[in-house]
Amino acid sequence: MRTIRGPGAMAAASALWRQRGLSVGFVPTMGALHEGHVSLVRRARAENRRVAVSIFVNPAQFGPQEDYRRYPRTLPADLARCRRAGADAVFCPEAGGVYPEGFSTQVEVRGLSDRLCGRFRPGHFKGVATVVLKLLNIVRPHAAYFGEKDFQQLVVIRRMAADLDLPVRVVGCPIIRESDGLAMSSRNRYLGREERSLAPLLHGALAWGARQPRGATPAVLLAGVRKRILRVPGISIDYVSLVDGRDLTDARARADGQRLLAAVRLGGTRLIDNVEVA
Ligand code: PAF
């Protein structure tokens, strides 16, 4: 497995793979890798002849009061995980390599980026879309793999890829959970002991919502989920929403393809999670 720092070297390695007729799978990450990321690398490995992972804590997707500085950086352990999961190359650029002096372009997927997490993290999805497009242009993979835990991010990236005719297959992969139901996330390590023991209740509340029969209207379902989340001491809710899984519009009535999403704050940690609603 190669560790590559420069965008030019990454582009050249990937170009060589493609010239040799090898399919390229790509897993963009911000590091602090866990089993959720590993599942993406394994899926990319199973579906492609070559796999590249990127590790880059992207400053452009953090707000001024957010956790960019303290975001966990665990490169040696990340590289070991990537090697074990079967990556061929790990691209770890410096911020200056991604955003050189004079960098002035931003990609905005309007509408989809302003709702749900976008309301609470202004500019976040602009930062995500910009860096993902940049990484895709460097690596030029046949397929790129994203976790469904960041469901809104997945929908934004799918839209961007479709709108801009990007020659890449965007693959959404299932959420990987701890044994108590908590969705794996690099930010879970911020949770104190007490908070960690309470955090799975978020998934419990969403799973309850997903079990409600079609007769339960969106309003009734959402009220029940909110009530269950608020049983957790010290928790506050950014949002709980039932949306159409393709375009994230609010569900007015129950239908196929809906997704129940929530973002909460537990102590100093923001947690997001979502479930499919049948
Ligand atoms: O999901 C993430 O880790 C990041 O948002 C991504 C897609 C790597 C862009 O920085």
Side-chain angles (χ1 to χ4, degrees), residues 28-30 56 58 61 128 131-132 146 150 153:
T29 81
M30 297 207 299
F56 177 61
N58 172 34
Q61 68 188 77
V128 170
V131 82
V132 170
F146 297 87
D150 296 294
Q153 168 174 283

Side-chain angles (χ1 to χ4, degrees), residues 1 24 26-27 42 55 57 75 79 111 114 119 128 133 155 166 191 193 201 219 221-222 233 238 241 252 274:
M1 186 187 82
V24 179
F26 176 46
V27 181
R42 291 215 182 98
I55 296 180
V57 185
L75 190 59
L79 294 176
D114 307 330
R119 276 181 51 220
V128 170
L133 180 58
V155 175
L166 301 183
L191 295 166
R193 245 160 69 123
L201 292 168
L221 187 152
L222 291 171
D238 275 1
S241 297
R252 292 183 193 285
N274 68 85

Side-chain angles (χ1 to χ4, degrees), residues 3 7-8 31 46 48 54 59 77 101 103-104 127 144 153 155 164 175 187-188 199 241 243 246 248 251 253 262:
T3 304
N48 300 278
S54 66
E101 189 71 27
F103 187 93
S104 316
Q153 168 174 283
V155 175
L164 301 181
I175 298 175
R187 289 188 168 96
N188 288 350
S241 297
V243 301
R246 287 154 305 183
L248 306 179

Side-chain angles (χ1 to χ4, degrees), residues 96-156:
V98 177
Y99 301 117
E101 189 71 27
F103 187 93
S104 316
T105 301
Q106 285 187 321
V107 180
E108 183 175 7
V109 181
R110 278 181 293 145
L112 289 178
S113 300
D114 307 330
R115 58 193 62 166
L116 302 169
C117 284
R119 276 181 51 220
F120 299 87
R121 306 187 68 190
H124 168 70
F125 289 108
K126 219 190 269 183
V128 170
T130 304
V131 82
V132 170
L133 180 58
K134 177 118 189 175
L135 292 167
L136 291 174
N137 279 335
I138 293 168
V139 179
R140 295 192 182 267
H142 297 89
Y145 297 79
F146 297 87
E148 287 183 344
K149 186 182 139 291
D150 296 294
F151 192 79
Q152 184 174 10
Q153 168 174 283
L154 175 62
V155 175
V156 165

Side-chain angles (χ1 to χ4, degrees), residues 12-26:
S14 182
L16 207 62
W17 292 337
R18 290 192 311 276
Q19 275 162 27
R20 289 164 55 198
L22 303 173
S23 62
V24 179
F26 176 46

